[in-house]
Amino acid sequence: MIKVSLPDGSVKEFEKNSTPMDVAKSISEGLARNVISASYNGTIVETTTTLTTDGSLILYTWNDKEGKKAFWHSTSHVMAQVLEEKYPGIKLTLGPSIDNGFYYDVDFGDTKITEAEFKAIEDRVLEIAREKHEFKMRPVSKSEALEIYKNNEYKTELISNLEDGTITFCDHSNFFDLCRGGHIPNTGLIKAMKIMSVAGAYWRGDEKNKQLTRVYGISFPKQKDLTDYLELLEEAKRRDHRKLGKELELFAFSQRVGQGLPLWLPKGAALRDRLEQFLKKAQKKAGYEQVVTPHIGQKELYVTSGHYAKYGADSFQPIHTPAEGEEFLLKPMNCPHHCEIYNNRPWSYKDLPKRYAEFGTVYRYEQSGELHGLTRVRGFTQDDAHIFCTPEQLDAEFKNVIDLVLYVFGSLGFENFTAQISLRDQENRDKYIGSDDNWEKAENAIINAARDKGLNTVVEYGEAAFYGPKLDFMVKDALGRQWQLGTIQVDYNLPERFELTYKGSDNEMHRPVMIHRAPFGSMERFIAILLEHTAGNFPLWLMPEQAIILSLSEKYENYAKKVLSLLENHEIRGLIDNRNETIGKKIRDAEVKKIPFMIIVGEEEEKNGTISVRRHGQEGKGNITCTIEEFASIVSEEINKTLKPFIV
Ligand SMILES: [Zn+2]
Ligand SMILES: [Zn+2]
């Protein structure tokens, strides 16, 4: 018998050579139907793998990331089978799962695959799927494997790097492939499959190698899942922040200025400024002090901090000056500067915590292929802050930061999030800097703070940085995509490297603990995510323009101006569309700009001193006629619903 422990903490005994599927069946028939992959003692196994030792088992379904991986990777085998069938003589290389689906890199030789052929391939994949072929792993000796793949230089290279005795093939139907494992029980689970695109890809990602064809696909256990997914992709395209950023005139890029260096247009700059003021106001209440530091620093600064070792060679190179040997770097991080602010004077434990905040612009050299709109750029502004505190203060500081992050999310309409807590690897504690005692304090502070604040948490062991544990907020946007926003990170390393000290109550000198935190992350990435989450319909308090005044004709221009000035008195951001266009055209254009309120003024309104208000996206439903005062209270009421004061 073997002992199998399950994630709920229970331990059950099974016959030796039982499989994960046997375990699933012993729990329930329903589970057995849904289990598609498993891991045993941390290693991915097949649902049919025989278990020979005691261990801990996790069963995965389609709802788990690991389940999807197995599902998609298995589909890549079937797609490879069909490609081989349809294009004899091609050379298969690698076919892993990715975040959304899978790909297979293929050397098509002289033939070419075109979009016109996708449908036939998809149909054949589903045909094979319906035949319910089991995926079976089979060990193969190195010499045998090399012999089988003697005409495929890619597989030969892969096999050469493997140790004899560890090589396995996966069989299904009449097809086999070199594979480590991690498959669903049989092809019958694949009910929908689509080839998404083909692209060029160098063998092993090296441009010195031959260019292969990467065939991207995705598959699902239900046809409806595929339909939903394709709809989601369409919606994501409509919401693409690069497209919306252009339409709403928020930001632009210029090849002359340089790749990955966004230019903020007036409306975008105003939006950013509003976000900054919003956070500054809350931070002030939370006890932060604003600081300002330069965009560059001496190379030595980053050698001290360790950032030079990490970013130096692969990032922007030092700036030289006329002075011999003098070198500066564009700052990749604000932390070293803030450490030196802390070092500007001696501190006593009574002075702590110190909380220094800065909207600090940093520069990191991203490969041009990695650049993407505002989410991957080469220069960006972090809503950075560093807290220097005693180990005893960590608990309270963590709660303080979590409150601030939750306030930011609430004010911006992010309601769906989990907190990921990254702790040390339990087995291997040597690779972390800082005393065991301090780590324990910090890890407990994070866990306690997250629990006290009622956060929905996931704990990941071994995910902590070598210099400290952290808490990341994982936010789901309106399309169900997950983003990492708002990091809180404990650091025992920089206080050491910068020799930060404070005098304790025992009159001895001690090292403070440092916390890095950024609720937005960076202004660029945050605005991109917010744009896609809201489709450009920002919360009213943040909207670049809250109301647009549309006059029915030139005759009412003076009244329009008067309305605008009254709106300004109520701190409502408005503008006038006084173009010589029909009201219908003016309304359509205002809709495209996503301006929340359209205010229509004509003879009636002027005579009565009123306005007619139409809401964005409501096609005239709920139009009202009211006074400016009434309108102002509608606006402030709506703003107060999302933007509440930050209470410490
Ligand atoms: Zn495989
Ligand atoms: Zn930092």
Side-chain angles (χ1 to χ4, degrees), residues 278-288 399-408 411 453 517 642-648:
F278 153 76
L279 189 58
K280 274 186 186 165
K281 200 168 149 190
Q283 283 181 168
K284 194 171 176 205
K285 275 195 169 175
Y288 289 79
K399 283 181 193 154
N400 184 331
V401 179
I402 291 174
D403 280 340
L404 189 68
V405 174
L406 296 184
Y407 173 66
V408 168
S411 307
K453 296 294 168 193
R517 44 105 281 179
T642 43
L643 187 62
K644 301 193 170 67
F646 180 60
I647 297 160
V648 194

Side-chain angles (χ1 to χ4, degrees), residues 589-601:
D589 289 351
E591 289 280 0
V592 170
K593 288 185 184 152
K594 300 178 189 276
I595 300 172
F597 294 102
M598 288 159 269
I599 293 177
I600 298 154
V601 292

